[in-house]
Amino acid sequence: MTQLNETHDPALSSWLASANDANIGFPVQHLPFAVFRRAASQEKFRPGVALGDQIIDLAQLALRQPFSGLAAEALNTCTGPTLNALMALGNRHWSALRLALSQATRAGSVLQAVIEPLLVPQAQAEYSLPAQIRDYTDFYISIYHATAGGKISRPDAPLLPNFKWLPIGYHGRASSVVISGHEVVRPVGQARPASAGQPPSFGPSQRLDFELEMAMFVGPGNAQGKRITIDEADEHIFGVCLLNDWSARDIQAWEVQPLGPFLAKSFATTISPWIVTREALEPFRLPFNRPATDPQPLPYLMNESVKKGGVYDIGLKALISTEQSRAARHEPALLAHSNLCHAYWTLSQLITHHTVNGCNLQPGDLIGTGTMSGPNPDQALSFNELSVGATQAVKLPWGQERKFLEDGDEITLQAECTKPGYPRLSFGQATGKIRPAVG
Amino acid sequence: MTQLNETHDPALSSWLASANDANIGFPVQHLPFAVFRRAASQEKFRPGVALGDQIIDLAQLALRQPFSGLAAEALNTCTGPTLNALMALGNRHWSALRLALSQATRAGSVLQAVIEPLLVPQAQAEYSLPAQIRDYTDFYISIYHATAGGKISRPDAPLLPNFKWLPIGYHGRASSVVISGHEVVRPVGQARPASAGQPPSFGPSQRLDFELEMAMFVGPGNAQGKRITIDEADEHIFGVCLLNDWSARDIQAWEVQPLGPFLAKSFATTISPWIVTREALEPFRLPFNRPATDPQPLPYLMNESVKKGGVYDIGLKALISTEQSRAARHEPALLAHSNLCHAYWTLSQLITHHTVNGCNLQPGDLIGTGTMSGPNPDQALSFNELSVGATQAVKLPWGQERKFLEDGDEITLQAECTKPGYPRLSFGQATGKIRPAVG
């Protein structure tokens, strides 16, 4: 666990006024990374760091060589169309670059004159995937989501016996991960027959759903055959973003046995553009919260650091708008809210478990948490849970109701870190609108 | 379905004597691709084509510009460390390059003088992965394997109701795919408790297994949201190789519900270096063989071409050696043999099903068939099947027996196409030796 350092000092403010505005949520304590360009331009995508309502163009900053040592080495990797090279460098470099950027953006910094001309307004930007994602893994670490989903398919034993012993995960499809704003075409496929022994139906999914998750980008990773221990795991977490694991429940119900979800999820996965570094999240650690009546983690998944502060306090929200609500200029409606602190396993435990068999992680790998539902009914982060397996319609404030997503619906995921006496950190958002199936 | 053409003329012979030797299995009708260099050299890995006991260095050949038109365009992509760029070009380019190479390597070709100096003996070569694999998918298309595995876990209903309606698949781990010869470290992990309610065990896998599969490399692929129809599917199959889906059965049994295999398979997957092009396989098509009593494929998975020749006749073998057998200089022992013709679904059906939901395939994606076991007991291509779920030891000819793999065991997978009146095509082999677990 990284100690707090001068970059976490809540008293710091920036020479950029909008960075000091809590409504905007990108203070000098934050400094998340994305890959961006001016929207609808022919510019190359390049790395940037958020500050207030602006983006610092790191490719331009690198040309001006404002830093030295590890920070300069780290900044020099920020010139291409992805952050993979920065992710590969590791925690010492990431931390040095964060410190240099923190010092350069504080009120009074002599580097204000260098950086100010390199700012691009977020309002004028578009984003690409922040890394070339070689492998995408999705876990399933909310016990509330696992129990709610299990109740629908296995009322007698909703939680499987392995859940409390290991973080359950599966390999996802990397090619179809898209950045926020990309429209999602309703998938077509086979769906479970209405009754056993009948042929499956075939056509556009009738049970298209969202899932609010968080995800981490990995670096530097490990050689094949060599595991990452729990003591080392944090240093392989570059940062965190939002993830919408779009899911076609009817396709999933038919194909899932015996090898797990496949086409039900591989048509699209949306992530938010800003990667919030692990170091920025350090002030929001909470103690690992495992009930004493539950099995304690096996030794390879546990250490003092996890115990003291394994879980992050990150508030999560899912909102919806529909064609009708947008036409009537209603604000998007809150569907549910939750918090990453409900995770049964820590992010570091996911890293260690993933590599315990010798599986090699690589810089730019994306690892999802699974749907981060909380204990209460309004903390259910998918329609499948909100509608209790399509038995209860969810009422929207403008009079419509939903059991699953309809064409034209748009889901927006948001996250933020807040606590008294510390500037608010926004994660930005991950949006996606449903387009009709292709015939 | 590609028609046969002059490259398939069985009467063709080469100016290279070893290409005309059926024992070697790399005739002028074959021309598979790999990425190679001289073993233990500092040379760069580059593409090559097998001819007899030699490899044609395509990077060197490209410098000499022996071809024109599409063949030249295709050859010009063969200069880097992977075949992704060639895979991206598509079937017209692949076919033009094959024809040009066929003409250049036939007896009497004026290009003999250009090519002969560029030959590297296969005996002196080492190989790397032939492509950067962005996504690896594994299917499960032998009904005999599915039934045998199902009998062990579900004696009453071994075959799940979805098996005959769709090709079941899952996302695999791309980062841990390795080339033949790479040693495999025995994985460590949690294994299913001896009895329900007990804690899981933790340590090196006690049920380490192999699985003999075939796999295809994909190109050019499809845009996200746009499916590849069954009529188009063949043109997205660049070629085929062998694949060993190493599996830890005890880890798998504990982690597999509800999301499928994960760490049980992600520690290593071995492929053979030679990619046999789809066009080279055309003489070995067999009619699609679906019993009339079984459901016929849904329309999106069927056309006349699949019906007439959807399945390939490719003979498969799995062999084993142990530390003891090698010390005593015994030949590797045949464990089982089978044939790709036992596939319940065709390779083209896998491509079409994979994309029916809009999932985008990319050049260099790897798609496995699943364990290609046949109907008879000696056609079981994993220890789990050969030992009937570890209830019967498999006797090896030198007196040892096995239920699963022990440290030092080496598995060799082989494949070949043979038929009367046509030169034999060898697939080379995929080998892997088990190293002890890392403590």
Side-chain angles (χ1 to χ4, degrees):
Chain A
M1 180 170 150
T2 305
Q3 298 299 310
L4 298 190
N5 57 43
E6 66 169 87
T7 68
H8 301 104
D9 181 350
L12 293 177
S13 65
S14 175
W15 43 257
L16 183 70
S18 65
N20 307 322
D21 182 341
N23 289 322
I24 291 173
F26 293 107
V28 70
Q29 292 83 358
H30 194 352
L31 304 173
F33 288 80
V35 170
F36 80 104
R37 67 176 179 189
R38 282 185 181 78
S41 75
Q42 296 301 310
E43 292 177 1
K44 288 185 180 170
F45 282 105
R46 69 273 187 186
V49 158
L51 184 70
D53 58 6
Q54 305 289 314
I55 304 170
I56 304 170
D57 184 332
L58 293 184
Q60 286 295 318
L61 187 61
L63 292 176
R64 286 155 182 79
Q65 305 197 12
F67 305 147
S68 61
L70 296 183
E73 289 176 24
L75 181 60
N76 287 340
T77 66
C78 295
T79 55
T82 69
L83 290 162
N84 293 72
L86 178 62
M87 293 171 180
L89 287 178
N91 193 58
R92 286 175 61 232
H93 282 88
W94 307 335
S95 192
L97 180 56
R98 173 179 165 84
L99 178 60
L101 287 168
S102 167
Q103 291 170 339
T105 55
R106 288 175 203 169
S109 168
V110 294
L111 288 174
Q112 176 177 354
V114 175
I115 292 177
E116 213 160 18
L118 307 182
L119 296 179
V120 175
Q122 290 185 33
Q124 293 174 19
E126 65 183 5
Y127 302 92
S128 68
L129 288 178
Q132 192 200 24
I133 300 166
R134 292 287 303 278
D135 274 292
Y136 159 47
T137 299
D138 205 11
F139 280 94
Y140 178 73
I141 65 171
S142 158
I143 197 167
Y144 308 105
H145 171 68
T147 305
K151 262 185 195 156
I152 294 163
S153 52
R154 295 177 305 274
D156 298 338
L159 198 66
L160 291 164
N162 54 5
F163 186 91
K164 293 184 176 179
W165 289 102
L166 52 72
I168 294 168
Y170 73 104
H171 309 295
R173 179 80 194 175
S175 72
S176 54
V177 177
V178 296
I179 201 71
S180 177
H182 184 102
E183 294 193 338
V184 173
V185 179
R186 179 179 296 272
V188 167
Q190 294 189 31
R192 187 161 59 180
S195 58
Q198 294 297 304
S201 63
F202 180 79
S205 171
Q206 302 300 306
R207 294 192 161 205
L208 183 57
D209 204 353
F210 75 98
E211 291 189 339
L212 193 168
E213 308 191 3
M214 302 216 75
M216 56 182 153
F217 276 96
V218 171
N222 58 311
Q224 196 166 357
K226 282 203 69 171
R227 73 188 75 163
I228 296 173
T229 68
I230 190 69
D231 293 339
E232 300 160 341
D234 267 345
E235 303 219 337
H236 293 270
I237 301 171
F238 176 74
V240 174
C241 64
L242 285 157
L243 184 147
N244 188 336
D245 180 23
W246 304 99
S247 300
R249 303 293 175 197
D250 42 359
I251 296 174
Q252 189 173 347
W254 178 231
E255 72 175 3
V256 72
Q257 289 295 343
L259 299 180
F262 180 47
L263 301 188
K265 290 171 179 275
S266 65
F267 57 95
T269 303
T270 301
I271 63 171
S272 55
W274 292 108
I275 311 179
V276 180
T277 62
R278 185 185 52 74
E279 193 171 342
L281 294 174
E282 289 302 324
F284 297 91
R285 294 259 195 189
L286 297 175
F288 184 63
N289 183 22
R290 178 66 52 93
T293 50
D294 278 5
Q296 297 306 296
L298 294 184
Y300 79 100
L301 292 175
M302 203 59 194
N303 65 8
E304 279 305 305
S305 168
V306 168
K307 195 180 292 181
K308 280 190 211 149
V311 181
Y312 294 104
D313 177 4
I314 304 176
L316 307 170
K317 280 184 194 170
L319 301 101
I320 189 170
S321 73
T322 68
E323 283 186 359
Q324 183 181 318
S325 78
R326 291 188 301 273
R329 298 184 179 278
H330 293 293
E331 288 294 303
L334 183 67
L335 280 172
H337 65 94
S338 184
N339 194 297
L340 187 64
C341 74
H342 295 306
Y344 197 81
W345 301 98
T346 71
L347 300 184
S348 57
Q349 287 170 331
L350 303 188
I351 295 278
T352 293
H353 182 67
H354 203 318
T355 64
V356 68
N357 68 341
C359 178
N360 51 323
L361 301 182
Q362 296 181 314
D365 282 353
L366 183 69
I367 300 181
T369 59
T371 312
M372 278 314 310
S373 301
N376 300 326
D378 64 347
Q379 295 174 331
L381 296 180
S382 67
F383 268 118
N384 197 44
E385 291 161 83
L386 288 166
S387 70
V388 193
T391 60
Q392 300 168 17
V394 177
K395 291 185 196 311
L396 304 180
W398 47 82
Q400 290 182 291
E401 53 183 43
R402 288 286 185 275
K403 291 179 175 172
F404 290 101
L405 290 164
E406 299 195 2
D407 293 344
D409 288 359
E410 182 173 70
I411 293 289
T412 297
L413 310 183
Q414 296 175 344
E416 61 177 7
C417 290
T418 59
K419 68 175 188 179
Y422 199 84
R424 171 177 171 269
L425 310 186
S426 167
F427 281 65
Q429 58 186 31
T431 69
K433 194 194 293 184
I434 306 302
R435 278 170 51 187
V438 176
Chain B
M1 179 172 153
T2 305
Q3 297 300 310
L4 297 191
N5 58 42
E6 66 170 89
T7 67
H8 301 104
D9 181 349
L12 293 177
S13 64
S14 175
W15 44 257
L16 183 69
S18 65
N20 306 322
D21 180 342
N23 288 321
I24 292 172
F26 292 107
V28 70
Q29 291 82 359
H30 194 355
L31 304 173
F33 288 79
V35 169
F36 80 103
R37 68 176 177 187
R38 281 185 183 78
S41 75
Q42 297 301 309
E43 292 177 0
K44 289 185 178 168
F45 281 105
R46 71 272 188 185
V49 158
L51 184 69
D53 58 5
Q54 305 289 313
I55 303 170
I56 303 170
D57 183 333
L58 293 184
Q60 286 295 319
L61 187 61
L63 292 177
R64 285 156 183 78
Q65 305 196 12
F67 305 146
S68 61
L70 296 182
E73 288 175 25
L75 182 61
N76 286 340
T77 67
C78 296
T79 55
T82 69
L83 290 162
N84 293 74
L86 178 62
M87 292 172 181
L89 287 179
N91 194 58
R92 286 174 61 232
H93 282 89
W94 307 336
S95 194
L97 180 56
R98 173 179 165 85
L99 178 60
L101 287 168
S102 167
Q103 290 169 338
T105 54
R106 287 176 203 169
S109 167
V110 293
L111 287 173
Q112 176 178 355
V114 175
I115 292 177
E116 212 160 19
L118 307 181
L119 297 178
V120 175
Q122 289 186 34
Q124 293 174 19
E126 65 183 5
Y127 302 91
S128 68
L129 288 178
Q132 192 199 23
I133 300 165
R134 291 288 303 280
D135 274 293
Y136 158 47
T137 299
D138 204 11
F139 280 92
Y140 177 72
I141 64 171
S142 157
I143 197 167
Y144 308 105
H145 172 67
T147 305
K151 262 185 196 157
I152 294 164
S153 53
R154 297 177 304 274
D156 298 338
L159 199 67
L160 291 164
N162 55 4
F163 186 91
K164 293 184 176 179
W165 290 101
L166 50 73
I168 295 168
Y170 74 105
H171 309 296
R173 179 81 193 174
S175 72
S176 54
V177 177
V178 296
I179 201 70
S180 177
H182 185 101
E183 295 193 336
V184 173
V185 179
R186 179 179 297 272
V188 166
Q190 295 189 31
R192 187 160 62 179
S195 58
Q198 294 298 304
S201 63
F202 180 78
S205 170
Q206 302 299 305
R207 294 191 163 206
L208 184 56
D209 204 351
F210 74 98
E211 291 188 339
L212 192 168
E213 307 190 3
M214 301 215 77
M216 55 183 155
F217 275 96
V218 170
N222 58 311
Q224 196 167 357
K226 283 202 68 171
R227 73 189 74 163
I228 296 174
T229 68
I230 190 69
D231 293 338
E232 299 161 342
D234 267 345
E235 302 218 337
H236 294 270
I237 301 171
F238 176 74
V240 173
C241 65
L242 285 156
L243 183 148
N244 189 336
D245 180 23
W246 304 98
S247 299
R249 305 292 175 196
D250 42 359
I251 296 174
Q252 189 172 347
W254 178 231
E255 72 175 3
V256 72
Q257 288 297 341
L259 299 181
F262 181 46
L263 301 188
K265 290 171 180 275
S266 64
F267 57 94
T269 303
T270 301
I271 63 172
S272 54
W274 292 108
I275 311 179
V276 180
T277 63
R278 184 185 51 74
E279 192 171 342
L281 294 174
E282 288 302 324
F284 297 91
R285 294 258 195 191
L286 296 175
F288 184 63
N289 183 22
R290 178 66 51 94
T293 50
D294 278 6
Q296 297 307 296
L298 293 184
Y300 79 100
L301 291 175
M302 203 59 195
N303 66 8
E304 279 303 306
S305 168
V306 168
K307 194 180 293 181
K308 279 191 213 147
V311 182
Y312 295 104
D313 177 4
I314 304 176
L316 306 170
K317 280 184 193 170
L319 303 101
I320 189 171
S321 72
T322 69
E323 284 187 357
Q324 183 181 319
S325 78
R326 291 189 299 273
R329 299 186 178 278
H330 293 293
E331 287 295 305
L334 182 68
L335 280 171
H337 65 96
S338 184
N339 194 298
L340 188 63
C341 74
H342 295 307
Y344 197 81
W345 300 97
T346 71
L347 300 184
S348 58
Q349 287 170 331
L350 303 187
I351 295 278
T352 293
H353 183 66
H354 202 317
T355 64
V356 68
N357 68 340
C359 178
N360 51 325
L361 300 182
Q362 297 180 315
D365 282 353
L366 182 69
I367 300 181
T369 59
T371 311
M372 278 313 312
S373 301
N376 301 325
D378 63 347
Q379 295 174 332
L381 296 181
S382 67
F383 268 118
N384 197 43
E385 292 161 83
L386 287 166
S387 71
V388 193
T391 59
Q392 299 168 17
V394 177
K395 291 185 197 311
L396 305 180
W398 48 82
Q400 290 182 293
E401 53 183 43
R402 288 286 185 274
K403 290 179 176 172
F404 289 102
L405 290 163
E406 300 194 3
D407 292 345
D409 288 358
E410 182 173 69
I411 293 289
T412 297
L413 310 183
Q414 296 176 344
E416 61 177 6
C417 290
T418 59
K419 68 174 188 179
Y422 199 83
R424 171 177 171 268
L425 310 186
S426 168
F427 281 64
Q429 58 186 31
T431 69
K433 194 195 290 185
I434 306 302
R435 279 169 51 186
V438 177

